Amino acid sequence: MKQYIIATIVTTFLFASCKLVDVTDVSPVNQLEDANAITSVEKAQSALYGTYGILNGTGLAFNYYMPAAACLMGLTMDPGSDGFDFANNNVPTNNYWLESMYTGGYKMINMTNHIITKTTALPGADPRKTRIIGEAKYLRAMSYFYLLRLFGEFYDTTSTYGLVLRLDPVKDAEAFPRSGVHAAYDQINKDLDEAILETGEFSSTFYASKIAARALKSKVLLYQQRYAEAAAMAQQVTMSTQRNLEDTFKTIFFKKIRDTKEAIFQTPFDAGTNINNKCFAFNSWYVPSAYYKAFMKGDRRDSMAIVVSGTRTRNGKFIAGQVDGAPSNSDTEYFIRLAEIYLVQAEAIVRSGGSLEDARAALNKIRKRALMPDITLNDKAGLLNAIREEKVRELGAESGEEWYDLVRYASKGELDIKTFKPDFMGKQRYILPIPLKSIQASGKVVVQNQGY
């Protein structure tokens, strides 16, 4: 019997110098036959382009359901016309977004498994094979990390509530149980280590690179509480000359995908083929929260991050504008930008027992760019809180990093989420439930998260 891997191949994709070109050398297909889909390096490359397209394609799981869900659970977004279950940290197991995020993540994983397995088996020594496999491993690692933060007890490396780990293309309906959190981190780190070796040097914000793999690994190590390693890895990124902070905070969101200096990995978009309606979603479906608006008062980033027009308050980071001279309601997702890695570095230095002066220097690099005074705190607890708050100011209403920080800090007893969200139901709502359909399809081999 023929087995199929379902995939959507995006026929046009931004490539090199932010120009729209057709980079698919083979005809787009909706089904990749398991035995024949990748029979050459050219077809492997085409499949990889299509896999990148999942980040911005059908379902929009990575582009705005995941970041919006985390922002709503956290502090920086309130529901406008959607997302109430996430804002209340009480998401039903049949929620549409929930299913989209979970299946979107595993769709990416299945496609990367397909590429890695089939490209490895291709004959010949074409050097492109190594790069293609490395980029696929980066995407697989990123997908598992995003899924772990949403659906696994990522804050406890001893927890059995990790993820279903699959490293081969799905060929049948066999159900696999969840692995523990430690095993999930091990797989993510293995993929990133290999991606660092196998991917190319930075050439575009739209594709995996060595610096993108190092940046993501610094975050993973921070979450895994391997702080000295996280600080060292982050320093490799911040000391690199391949990426630099934009001159002003506003420039980050004005330039978007065009000649950006700071973005390390992001989704492309244009006025035609990559329409994702993110601007509308991030200004109508969910809006800047009351907490975020009050918190940003007095910060020089305030007027850029939050735009007030009459009685309407909008997210200033994602406002419809011009792309290639044409009006567009689409926008990007900044999976990693350099400013975040400076803050990862600062926290990791403090938690590893490193120099508080060095930690302040990394933190103040971001504050100087924002035209804000230096932080001079000289105690560990105060500095850790200042770093967390700086993430809210710098990264608020983007990707929900403030939510994951709240969970990490709360799990260590450093804060109480009820201080920020009085109706928060407790530890059982740190993460989301596994979608009911997935639990049922597994014959309950996949165990539901606690409290759902």
Side-chain angles (χ1 to χ4, degrees):
M1 178 182 292
K2 293 180 178 179
Q3 308 293 338
Y4 294 94
I5 305 297
I6 305 302
T8 301
I9 302 296
V10 177
T11 59
T12 53
F13 207 71
L14 283 174
F15 179 69
S17 302
C18 301
K19 298 298 291 183
L20 277 173
V21 296
D22 188 347
V23 296
T24 52
D25 296 325
V26 296
S27 299
V29 293
N30 292 322
Q31 291 180 321
L32 295 178
E33 188 176 339
D34 187 47
N36 301 314
I38 295 178
T39 56
S40 68
V41 175
E42 288 73 23
K43 289 187 177 182
Q45 183 66 73
S46 182
L48 180 62
Y49 284 133
T51 305
Y52 278 111
I54 294 172
L55 297 176
N56 205 27
T58 304
L60 299 172
F62 287 92
N63 191 277
Y64 63 71
Y65 288 136
M66 287 183 183
C71 287
L72 286 163
M73 289 191 290
L75 305 172
T76 59
M77 284 183 177
D78 280 341
S81 60
D82 207 346
F84 293 91
D85 294 332
F86 292 89
N88 295 330
N89 299 92
N90 192 25
V91 180
T93 59
N94 64 348
N95 179 276
Y96 172 79
W97 290 17
L98 192 76
E99 294 174 358
S100 177
M101 291 185 290
Y102 194 76
T103 58
Y106 277 105
K107 178 180 179 181
M108 173 73 83
I109 290 163
N110 194 42
M111 279 300 298
T112 55
N113 288 342
H114 184 71
I115 292 166
I116 293 164
T117 300
K118 290 298 191 281
T119 306
T120 301
L122 290 175
D126 191 321
R128 291 177 295 174
K129 288 170 53 179
T130 299
R131 177 187 53 76
I132 290 167
I133 292 167
E135 290 185 38
K137 287 176 181 176
Y138 174 88
L139 293 174
R140 182 168 69 182
M142 190 185 85
S143 300
Y144 272 131
F145 183 55
Y146 274 55
L147 288 173
L148 181 63
R149 293 193 301 174
L150 287 168
F151 297 102
E153 293 182 350
F154 66 90
Y155 50 88
D156 179 3
T157 56
T158 68
S159 172
T160 59
Y161 290 88
L163 296 173
V164 175
L165 296 177
R166 303 195 70 145
L167 304 180
D168 297 304
V170 174
K171 295 184 177 181
D172 50 46
E174 180 184 1
F176 286 70
R178 298 172 71 169
S179 297
V181 171
H182 191 280
Y185 276 124
D186 281 350
Q187 182 56 49
I188 293 166
N189 280 314
K190 182 176 184 296
D191 274 345
L192 289 175
D193 285 340
E194 293 173 7
I196 290 169
L197 293 173
E198 296 169 352
T199 54
E201 296 294 344
F202 179 85
S203 62
S204 168
T205 58
F206 307 140
Y207 304 113
S209 61
K210 293 183 186 300
I211 193 172
R214 290 188 179 104
L216 180 55
K217 183 160 185 180
S218 71
K219 286 182 63 173
V220 173
L221 291 169
L222 180 74
Y223 278 60
Q224 204 177 358
Q225 302 176 48
R226 294 165 58 180
Y227 299 123
E229 295 170 85
M233 186 64 66
Q235 185 178 37
Q236 288 188 49
V237 177
T238 58
M239 293 293 288
S240 170
T241 58
Q242 293 178 316
R243 299 278 80 195
N244 296 284
L245 293 177
E246 298 291 353
D247 295 334
T248 68
F249 182 72
K250 180 178 181 179
T251 307
I252 303 166
F253 308 99
F254 176 75
K255 289 167 67 172
K256 300 291 185 183
I257 62 174
R258 186 177 295 281
D259 302 320
T260 174
K261 295 192 300 184
E262 181 166 329
I264 296 175
F265 187 59
Q266 66 179 138
T267 54
F269 67 99
D270 62 82
T273 58
N274 297 126
I275 295 174
N276 57 35
N277 215 28
K278 184 171 182 175
C279 295
F280 177 81
F282 273 54
N283 284 281
S284 180
W285 288 5
Y286 9 91
V287 296
S289 69
Y291 173 90
Y292 184 43
K293 288 185 285 187
F295 185 80
M296 290 297 288
K297 292 295 184 184
D299 191 276
R300 298 292 292 271
R301 288 161 286 199
D302 181 26
S303 60
M304 172 59 217
I306 302 169
V307 176
V308 179
S309 302
T311 59
R312 183 184 180 192
T313 304
R314 297 184 295 166
N315 184 332
K317 296 180 177 182
F318 303 102
I319 292 180
Q322 299 283 320
V323 178
D324 288 337
S328 174
N329 199 32
S330 301
D331 219 311
T332 191
E333 168 62 15
Y334 299 100
F335 291 111
I336 306 178
R337 57 183 180 89
L338 185 60
E340 181 184 359
I341 305 306
Y342 273 106
L343 297 174
V344 167
Q345 182 180 352
E347 182 187 342
I349 290 172
V350 176
R351 292 195 184 280
S352 66
S355 163
L356 296 189
E357 181 180 359
D358 289 347
R360 287 195 302 270
L363 168 60
N364 288 330
K365 184 86 172 179
I366 304 307
R367 290 185 62 80
K368 281 183 174 67
R369 197 265 297 276
L371 304 179
M372 294 297 293
D374 283 355
I375 295 293
T376 59
L377 291 165
N378 202 37
D379 67 286
K380 180 177 177 179
L383 191 51
L384 283 173
N385 188 60
I387 293 166
R388 184 190 64 78
E389 290 188 340
E390 193 65 23
K391 270 196 181 177
V392 180
R393 296 185 181 96
E394 179 70 22
L395 303 171
E398 284 184 52
S399 301
E401 294 302 321
E402 69 276 2
W403 169 246
Y404 304 119
D405 287 348
L406 282 178
V407 172
R408 290 192 303 109
Y409 279 59
S411 70
K412 298 174 74 66
E414 295 170 344
L415 57 78
D416 185 350
I417 294 179
K418 284 182 176 289
T419 301
F420 306 91
K421 303 187 78 172
D423 297 328
F424 184 65
M425 297 168 63
K427 184 177 179 180
Q428 69 273 21
R429 289 297 184 269
Y430 282 174
I431 58 175
L432 298 171
I434 305 295
L436 178 61
K437 288 181 180 178
S438 295
I439 298 290
Q440 293 174 333
S442 76
K444 297 187 178 180
V445 170
V446 176
V447 176
Q448 183 59 275
N449 285 325
Q450 301 179 82
Y452 290 101

